[in-house]
Amino acid sequence: MVTLNPEISMSCQQNLELRSIINDAAHLTADGAGIVMVSRLKGNPLPERVTGCDLLINLLEMGNKKCWSFYLLGASELTSKKASEVINMKYPNVSILGRYHGFFDHREEARIVDEITNLRPDVLVVALGAPKAEFWIHKFKNTLNARVAIGVGGSLDTIAGTVKRAPVIWQKINLEWLYRLIKQPSRWKRQLILPRFAMKALFFKENCNGPTKD
Ligand code: UDP
């Protein structure tokens, strides 16, 4: 599953490997007000925005009812540990089969892949940031015995409480990106892509072979 935000969407314009990975996903959600707005402008409206964090919380809620197992990969060791404790407390019927922080080296990677393959989690949560998570999942998806793998960005930080998510009112008025920018000003360079995404959405037409000017 991929939660598609304007940043990944713009990267797909140049990065054909990423584009093919995204096209190969079994399930895509619109992770950003911009994606939903574009869908409306193009006459193919998507019902709502579904961020990685929303999706993860929903999967945990459903997992709590259905006793699903999860593996958490990514974020700092401290965040990963805290997120796993919060999940155990809030969703007692969910089992966290294992977890590993997201700053592993090449040798650790082989161990992580073996561990996930042996543990067979229902849901593999990959919090390595985008598009690193998407590349990682794609590289190992045929080896890993997870039923679902999903890149969730910084969601483990939110669950652990190390990063505070925008209050619901900011989310409702489509300004979550501004809240994040105020709280984490170091993201400003990444957010420069947003006006470019808006311009492209308004003035360019996309076809299967790549972008063409309208
Ligand atoms: N991260 C990681 N390994 C890396 C790079 C990032 O585990 O090599 C984690 C980072 O600690 C954070 C998450 O990936 O928890 C990325 O969060 P961000 O909000 O930047 O992701 P986005 O929502 O933009 O994809």
Side-chain angles (χ1 to χ4, degrees):
M1 295 170 94
V2 172
T3 62
L4 184 70
N5 63 24
E7 227 177 310
I8 310 183
S9 167
M10 286 299 280
S11 302
C12 285
Q13 303 293 309
Q14 312 299 334
N15 189 331
L16 297 185
E17 191 190 350
L18 180 60
R19 183 192 285 221
S20 108
I21 288 172
I22 304 294
N23 284 337
D24 202 32
H27 193 80
L28 280 179
T29 74
D31 183 359
I35 303 268
V36 177
M37 277 179 210
V38 169
S39 76
R40 289 182 185 150
L41 278 174
K42 303 281 172 187
N44 190 9
L46 293 167
E48 61 180 342
R49 186 174 77 116
V50 180
T51 65
C53 198
D54 296 329
L55 197 54
L56 180 56
I57 301 286
N58 273 282
L59 285 169
L60 286 167
E61 281 169 1
M62 198 174 281
N64 197 38
K65 288 187 192 134
K66 303 198 171 196
C67 299
W68 286 347
S69 59
F70 285 63
Y71 188 101
L72 311 181
L73 175 65
S76 69
E77 170 57 22
L78 199 68
T79 297
S80 164
K81 188 165 179 286
K82 186 86 193 39
S84 141
E85 287 166 2
V86 170
I87 293 170
N88 281 332
M89 202 177 62
K90 277 196 177 169
Y91 309 97
N93 297 323
V94 159
S95 37
I96 306 286
L97 297 181
R99 60 173 188 85
Y100 210 94
H101 64 79
F103 298 90
F104 47 84
D105 63 28
H106 206 64
R107 275 169 307 161
E108 289 172 287
E109 182 173 76
R111 282 216 317 270
I112 295 167
V113 172
D114 274 356
E115 180 169 87
I116 299 170
T117 306
N118 292 329
L119 289 171
R120 299 173 166 265
D122 291 315
V123 183
L124 170 61
V125 173
V126 184
L128 295 175
K132 190 170 174 183
E134 285 68 30
F135 279 111
W136 199 88
I137 292 170
H138 185 76
K139 183 168 173 196
F140 295 111
K141 70 175 183 177
N142 293 330
T143 315
L144 302 165
N145 280 322
R147 291 172 68 192
V148 163
I150 169 171
V152 295
S155 305
L156 293 185
D157 297 83
T158 312
I159 288 179
T162 40
V163 172
K164 206 170 162 302
R165 196 167 173 196
V168 176
I169 181 77
W170 288 69
Q171 296 176 36
K172 283 207 167 125
I173 57 174
N174 293 329
L175 287 180
E176 189 164 14
W177 62 272
L178 181 60
Y179 184 89
R180 278 187 103 177
L181 186 60
I182 294 167
K183 291 284 172 190
Q184 297 169 272
S186 56
R187 296 178 73 91
W188 72 270
K189 263 193 191 153
R190 292 178 52 174
Q191 295 200 344
L192 285 179
I193 204 79
L194 296 178
R196 282 184 49 213
F197 171 81
M199 292 303 286
K200 190 142 192 117
L202 287 171
F203 299 115
F204 284 77
K205 193 175 169 185
E206 180 82 5
N207 66 28
C208 295
N209 301 318
T212 51
K213 201 159 189 276
D214 215 356

